[in-house]
């Protein structure tokens, strides 16, 4: 009788907690979570790759010729673009100096214009017509190095 109760309890446990018992919902949730997690990791690595190439991590970096500043060398045109993309949160030119705001700007632009987070497309979006093979290779190299940290 004791063994019978243990077997029943194990079966109930399997039905309640094992993804195999409800393959439609639990595995779908599990894989969607993994996809979202993987996307966030790629976005995070992409952000830091651009930070490394654009400013070497110096948040007060400023390029007077292009009026680009901050970690990501954000130009005024990028602020206008991100404000056009979404309505809920408005950005100002001074936000390029704040890391969290700069990161949010980067995420909004990348997720709306490059949802697959392709590195080459990201380079073209972020750097525009000035994107060169050398620039793309720097971003790729920085992206790959952040995966190893």
């Amino acid at each position: 009788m004791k063994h019978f109760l243990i077997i029943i309890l194990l079966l109930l446990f399997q039905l309640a907690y094992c993804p195999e018992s409800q393959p439609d919902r639990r595995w779908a949730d599990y894989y969607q979570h993994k996809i979202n997690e993987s996307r966030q990791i790629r976005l995070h690595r992409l952000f830091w790759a651009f930070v490394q190439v654009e400013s070497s991590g110096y948040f007060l970096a400023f390029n007077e010729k292009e009026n680009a500043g901050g970690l990501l060398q954000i130009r005024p045109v990028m602020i206008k673009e991100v404000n056009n993309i979404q309505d809920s949160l408005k950005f100002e030119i001074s936000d390029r100096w704040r890391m969290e705001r700069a990161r949010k700007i980067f995420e909004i632009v990348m997720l709306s214009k490059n949802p697959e987070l392709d590195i080459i497309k990201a380079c073209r979006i972020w750097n525009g017509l000035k994107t060169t093979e050398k620039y793309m290779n720097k971003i790729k190299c920085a992206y790959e190095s952040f995966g190893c940290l």
Side-chain angles (χ1 to χ4, degrees), residues 7 15 22 28 65 75 80 83 90 120 128 134 149:
I7 291 171
L15 287 173
Q22 299 174 355
K65 185 174 117 182
R75 299 174 187 94
K80 288 179 186 174
N83 284 333
K90 292 296 180 187
I120 294 170
K134 184 178 177 183
L149 298 178

Side-chain angles (χ1 to χ4, degrees), residues 39-40 42-43 46 110-111 114-119 122 143:
R39 187 173 175 183
Q40 281 302 112
R42 286 193 332 251
L43 184 60
L46 200 56
M110 285 302 143
L111 292 175
N114 185 15
E116 62 279 356
L117 299 174
D118 178 67
I119 294 174
Y143 180 85

Side-chain angles (χ1 to χ4, degrees), residues 38-51 103 106 119 139-149:
S38 172
R39 187 173 175 183
Q40 281 302 112
I41 290 168
R42 286 193 332 251
L43 184 60
H44 181 76
R45 285 176 63 190
L46 200 56
F47 170 78
W48 285 109
F50 275 92
V51 165
R103 183 175 181 181
F106 182 81
I119 294 174
I139 294 291
K140 285 179 188 177
C141 184
Y143 180 85
E144 289 167 6
S145 72
F146 279 106
C148 301
L149 298 178

